[in-house]
Amino acid sequence: MSDDPGTGSGESLAARLREQGLRLTPQRELILRAVEELRHATPDEVLAHVRGQVSSVNASTVYRTLEVLEELGLVRHTHLSDRAPTYHSTDEHEHVHVVCRHCGDVQSYAPELVAPVVATLAADGFTMDVGHLAIFGVCAGCASQSPASRGT
Amino acid sequence: MSDDPGTGSGESLAARLREQGLRLTPQRELILRAVEELRHATPDEVLAHVRGQVSSVNASTVYRTLEVLEELGLVRHTHLSDRAPTYHSTDEHEHVHVVCRHCGDVQSYAPELVAPVVATLAADGFTMDVGHLAIFGVCAGCASQSPASRGT
DNA sequence: TTCAGTGCAAAGCGTTTGCAGGGTG
DNA sequence: CACCCTGCAAACGCTTTGCACTGAA
């Protein structure tokens, strides 16, 4: 994660935006900070987090901004459920998501978990996107218990 | 799974439904057969395939039926794009999906591809759902070319 | 005859888009 | 002062749901 708090991400944000001829706005700063603080957040959760900090931020702004931030490489998204995607900051170390289908618990694993897979696919010329990966299954705690359903 | 073609899935369908106190209908037969024939199909594609075979099958019936068939273990689904999920028959051997983000090409790999991952997670008590896994990245062909975007 | 299953239509959720006004650079 | 960005509202794609009728067992 960031080792320079506060202005850290703000500065890289401004710089990266400028490179592309894009503009720095309060909304963009807030949305980036929200993603960093929430760790794994859906667009809706980002919106909720940002609202109240600045009077009225619109949902479409959140969607458009997350898209921009992802293009800039500042955030990434994965699909941890059937519904909305979740975004996380790239300040964090790249990680693989392991999701329990029963309790919904999400564990992060180091990329080494899938290193053999990366290697095998690389031999076929395929470049695997590790950060986007979501592995589903049933966690230890739920394995013993009764069936239930969460997102997939 | 099945080594008897033709009526095979029909019979197992009837049997499995009966076990649960459910009923066999023409729609359910057709939808199961559509999933088998299309190999990887979205609900919409299943609907299109089924229509014309029987006068008017409704979209909600397709959704409800796919849900039932999945509970019975006759079909499975994965997320090969940001949009609709794709369903496939469990008659096929279990496989892992590897998707190119640029050209959208989908390759199937044997489960052994992720065997090390399964083992590592199993050590943590986590039972991985291999058939649901979708791995994203860039294929050999697209790696050399210019950027573009497909589903994620 | 019973009750699961179906079609239909409306609603729901998450997301995208067109447009006009506003604010950054 | 040009043009990117925003808010607003409508539209959109996919899926779910309520309800009355139909048909499998």
Side-chain angles (χ1 to χ4, degrees):
Chain A
M1 297 144 235
S2 74
D3 4 28
D4 67 307
T7 48
S9 51
E11 310 225 314
S12 95
L13 174 57
R16 304 242 202 171
L17 285 169
R18 211 163 294 156
E19 287 171 18
Q20 310 293 316
L22 302 177
R23 291 176 185 172
L24 179 60
T25 66
Q27 288 88 336
R28 287 181 173 173
E29 286 189 281
L30 284 171
I31 289 169
L32 175 56
R33 197 174 311 158
V35 171
E36 289 167 351
E37 290 174 10
L38 296 172
R39 312 265 306 178
H40 286 110
T42 62
D44 217 64
E45 290 165 343
V46 170
L47 179 60
H49 189 83
V50 163
R51 276 193 170 146
Q53 312 211 33
V54 143
S55 50
S56 93
V57 174
N58 195 269
S60 32
T61 299
V62 171
Y63 285 109
R64 289 189 275 230
T65 299
L66 287 173
E67 193 180 340
V68 169
L69 294 178
E70 189 153 29
E71 280 166 8
L72 294 179
L74 295 170
V75 306
R76 296 237 38 199
H77 81 273
T78 347
H79 300 276
L80 266 31
S81 82
D82 266 343
R83 302 215 160 277
T86 63
Y87 286 79
H88 60 272
S89 164
T90 51
D91 272 2
E92 303 180 45
H93 295 75
E94 185 170 58
H95 54 281
V96 176
H97 297 94
V98 177
V99 187
C100 176
R101 213 197 289 297
H102 286 184
C103 65
D105 179 58
V106 178
Q107 294 290 329
S108 295
Y109 276 76
E112 287 74 51
L113 172 67
V114 295
V117 180
V118 173
T120 303
L121 294 178
D124 290 4
F126 188 92
T127 308
M128 176 174 166
D129 177 357
V130 175
H132 186 272
L133 193 65
I135 296 175
F136 289 84
V138 182
C139 74
C142 293
S144 40
Q145 299 164 31
S146 54
S149 267
R150 262 269 187 154
T152 292
Chain B
M1 290 238 154
S2 84
D3 7 26
D4 68 305
T7 49
S9 52
E11 311 223 316
S12 95
L13 174 56
R16 302 240 203 174
L17 285 168
R18 210 162 297 155
E19 286 171 19
Q20 310 293 317
L22 303 177
R23 293 173 185 174
L24 178 61
T25 66
Q27 287 90 336
R28 285 180 174 174
E29 285 190 281
L30 284 170
I31 290 169
L32 176 56
R33 197 175 310 157
V35 171
E36 289 169 351
E37 289 173 11
L38 296 173
R39 312 266 306 181
H40 287 111
T42 62
D44 218 64
E45 291 165 341
V46 170
L47 179 60
H49 189 83
V50 163
R51 275 191 171 149
Q53 311 210 32
V54 142
S55 50
S56 94
V57 174
N58 196 268
S60 32
T61 300
V62 171
Y63 285 109
R64 288 189 275 228
T65 298
L66 288 173
E67 192 180 342
V68 169
L69 294 178
E70 190 153 28
E71 280 167 8
L72 295 179
L74 295 170
V75 306
R76 295 238 39 198
H77 82 273
T78 346
H79 301 276
L80 266 30
S81 83
D82 265 343
R83 302 214 158 277
T86 63
Y87 286 79
H88 60 273
S89 164
T90 50
D91 270 3
E92 303 180 44
H93 295 75
E94 184 169 60
H95 55 279
V96 176
H97 298 94
V98 177
V99 186
C100 176
R101 214 196 288 297
H102 288 183
C103 65
D105 179 57
V106 178
Q107 295 289 329
S108 295
Y109 276 76
E112 286 73 53
L113 173 66
V114 295
V117 181
V118 173
T120 304
L121 294 179
D124 290 6
F126 188 92
T127 308
M128 175 174 167
D129 177 358
V130 174
H132 186 272
L133 193 66
I135 296 175
F136 288 85
V138 181
C139 74
C142 292
S144 40
Q145 299 163 31
S146 53
S149 266
R150 264 266 188 154
T152 291

